Amino acid sequence: METLSIGQYDLIYNAFSFGFATLAAATLFFWLGIGQVKPQYKTALVVTGLVTFIAAYHYWRIGQSWSDAYTLVDGVHVPTEMVFNAAYRYVDWLLTVPLLLVELILVMSLTRSETVKRATSLGLAALLMVALGYPGEVSDSGGVRWIFGLLSMIPFLWIVYQLYVGLGEAIEKQPESARGLVRTARNVVVASWAFYPIVYFAGAVGIEGATATVIIEVGYTVADLIAKAGFGVLIFMIALRKSEEPMRDGGTKAVPTE
Amino acid sequence: METLSIGQYDLIYNAFSFGFATLAAATLFFWLGIGQVKPQYKTALVVTGLVTFIAAYHYWRIGQSWSDAYTLVDGVHVPTEMVFNAAYRYVDWLLTVPLLLVELILVMSLTRSETVKRATSLGLAALLMVALGYPGEVSDSGGVRWIFGLLSMIPFLWIVYQLYVGLGEAIEKQPESARGLVRTARNVVVASWAFYPIVYFAGAVGIEGATATVIIEVGYTVADLIAKAGFGVLIFMIALRKSEEPMRDGGTKAVPTE
C-alpha cells in the first residue's frame, strides 16, 4: 500500500460511496418494477435486483475497509495496520457474475430445459473464471498472476463464445421490439468484463503506485456499475417490452412466426 | 486458538462475508418469489426465507466475532482476549435445522394431519440432534465429544430413515414435474449434513492447528450454504413447478391418477 494525497484518497472514497448509492438505488428500482412485468419475467427482475443488492453490500464494506486502511498524517493518507481488503471484490464477483448471466438467460424465456442447461453451464463457467483469478490476485509473484490470469481466460473465452454463437440463434428469435436490446445487453456483458483483465494484468507487469491505485479502484467501480446497474436497466427494459407483446411468452417457446 | 497467517485469516473472514451476502440475497429471493406460487406453497417459501434470514444474521455475528478475536502483530494474526464464539453456529442450527425439514414437508403438500405429524416429529428429532452435539463441542475432553457425538447420531439416523422410508411413498406420489426435484432436495439434506459429523469427530481425534481451522470454518460455511441457500432454491423450484400443475394441490391429497 502506498501513501496517497488527500485528493487521491477522497476520489476513491467517493467512488465507493457513489457505487453503494447507485447499486442500492438500482436494486430498489428493479424490485419496485416487478409488478409491471408478466409472471414469466418476474424472476429475471428479482435476480437483477439481487445482483445489485449483493454488490451494494460489498461496496458498503469496501468503503469501510478503505477508511480503516488509511490515516491522515501531515496532510497525506498513510496506510494503517488494517490492510485494505481488496478480496471483497472477488467475493462479490463469485456471486454476482454467475447471476448476471442467469438474468440474461431468464429474460430470454427459453424452454425450461434450455434455461436450466444454459444457466447452469454459463453460471459454472463464470464461477470458475472468478475462482481462478483469486490465487493470482492475492499472490505477490508476477508469474503466479500470469498463470492464473491466463487459466481464467479459458472459461472467459468459452462464455464469450456461448454468448455469441450458442445463444446467437435464440437471440435472433426474440420478439422484434426486444431483439436489439438483448443484443446490446449481451455486448455490454462482454465489453464491461474486458476491463477486469486489463487491470489484472497491469498488476502482473508491475504497474503500481498511487496513480495506479486510483485508476484501478475507480476503474473497477465504473466497470461494476455498467456491468450490474447499467446491464440491469437493459434487462428491465427487455422484460417490460416483452410483457407488452401479445404472444404468451414472446420467446423461443412460441410457434415460430418467421 | 492458534496464530494464523494473513492469508488464512483473510480466507476465513471472506468466507464469513460471502456467507452473509449469499444468505441475505437468498432470503430476498425466496420472499420476493412468494407472489409467484399458489397459496398452499406460500408458507413453504416464507419458512425457506426464514432459515436463510436466521443464518445471515448469525454469519454477520460470526464475522464480527472473528474480527474481534484476532489482532495483527508483526504480519501474523494472533488471538486476542475475546475468544471466537463458535457457539453461534449451534444457536443457528437449533433454529434452522428443524425449519429446514419443515420446509420440505410444507412444499410436499401432504394432508393437514400428516403435515403436522411429520413436521413435529422431524423437527423435534433435529432439535435433539443439535442439542446433543453441543456438550461435546464445548468440552475439552475427547471422550465427552465421542459420547455426545454418538448420541447425536441416533436422531440423525432416525431422520435419514424417515426421509428415505417414511416419506418415500409420499415423494413417489408427487406430480411428475416436481418428483425428481423433491428427491434431489431430500438427498441434498442428507449429503450436506454428512459434513458436520466429519468436522465434529475431527475435533474428537485431536486434529487441530491453523490449517484445520481454515478447513473447518470454510467447510462449515460451504455446507451451510448448500444446506440452506442451495436447498432453498430447490424448494422454490418445487413450489413453482407444482404451482403450474393443473391439479388443485398437486400433492398426495389429490385423487391418484396412476
Side-chain angles (χ1 to χ4, degrees), chain A:
Chain A
M1 306 296 282
E2 48 279 307
T3 299
L4 298 177
S5 72
I6 290 179
Q8 288 168 328
Y9 173 89
D10 284 355
L11 185 60
I12 293 175
Y13 183 87
N14 291 326
F16 292 157
S17 177
F18 178 76
F20 170 77
T22 308
L23 292 161
T27 305
L28 293 165
F29 177 73
F30 302 137
W31 287 345
L32 289 168
I34 292 172
Q36 288 173 263
V37 302
K38 283 192 182 163
Q40 61 265 45
Y41 304 116
K42 290 189 193 298
T43 308
L45 290 195
V46 169
V47 176
T48 303
L50 283 184
V51 166
T52 49
F53 168 79
I54 294 166
Y57 161 75
H58 285 114
Y59 269 87
W60 180 268
R61 301 282 282 203
I62 285 173
Q64 284 185 313
S65 176
W66 184 253
S67 330
D68 291 341
Y70 287 90
T71 184
L72 194 61
V73 177
D74 299 333
V76 287
H77 283 276
V78 246
T80 62
E81 282 219 319
M82 318 261 292
V83 179
F84 175 58
N85 185 6
Y88 277 130
R89 295 201 181 280
Y90 276 80
V91 177
D92 178 75
W93 296 335
L94 269 180
L95 283 165
T96 56
V97 174
L99 289 176
L100 280 170
L101 295 172
V102 170
E103 273 175 47
L104 183 63
I105 300 297
L106 285 175
V107 87
M108 287 176 70
S109 57
L110 307 170
T111 59
R112 184 185 286 169
S113 64
E114 184 85 346
T115 299
V116 172
K117 194 191 94 183
R118 300 272 181 199
T120 311
S121 61
L122 285 169
L124 288 177
L127 199 68
L128 190 66
M129 172 177 84
V130 177
L132 282 171
Y134 184 76
E137 181 75 47
V138 296
S139 165
D140 289 332
S141 147
V144 173
R145 210 178 174 93
W146 273 109
I147 292 165
F148 282 96
L150 292 173
L151 284 175
S152 167
M153 292 302 283
I154 300 169
F156 173 69
L157 293 174
W158 185 83
I159 292 169
V160 172
Y161 175 82
Q162 285 300 318
L163 289 178
Y164 283 91
V165 181
L167 282 177
E169 200 187 334
I171 290 175
E172 295 316 311
K173 279 190 190 154
Q174 291 292 302
E176 208 191 325
S177 65
R179 204 180 298 149
L181 282 173
V182 177
R183 276 196 217 111
T184 308
R186 186 248 330 256
N187 297 342
V188 165
V189 168
V190 176
S192 63
W193 288 11
F195 179 78
Y196 302 96
I198 295 173
V199 174
Y200 188 92
F201 289 112
V205 297
I207 295 172
E208 51 190 23
T211 309
T213 302
V214 174
I215 293 170
I216 288 171
E217 297 305 337
V218 175
Y220 269 147
T221 305
V222 172
D224 273 347
L225 295 180
I226 294 169
K228 294 176 170 105
F231 176 75
V233 170
L234 290 170
I235 298 293
F236 178 75
M237 287 170 69
I238 294 165
L240 209 58
R241 291 213 188 157
K242 287 176 79 174
S243 295
E244 289 161 1
E245 288 285 315
M247 289 193 298
R248 197 198 133 258
D249 65 68
T252 53
K253 259 190 290 184
V255 179
T257 52
E258 292 128 301

Side-chain angles (χ1 to χ4, degrees), chain B residues 171-181 183 241 245 247 250 258:
Chain B
I171 289 175
E172 295 315 311
K173 279 190 191 155
Q174 292 290 303
E176 207 191 327
S177 64
R179 204 180 298 148
L181 283 172
R183 276 197 217 109
R241 290 209 187 163
E245 288 285 314
M247 288 193 298
E258 293 125 302

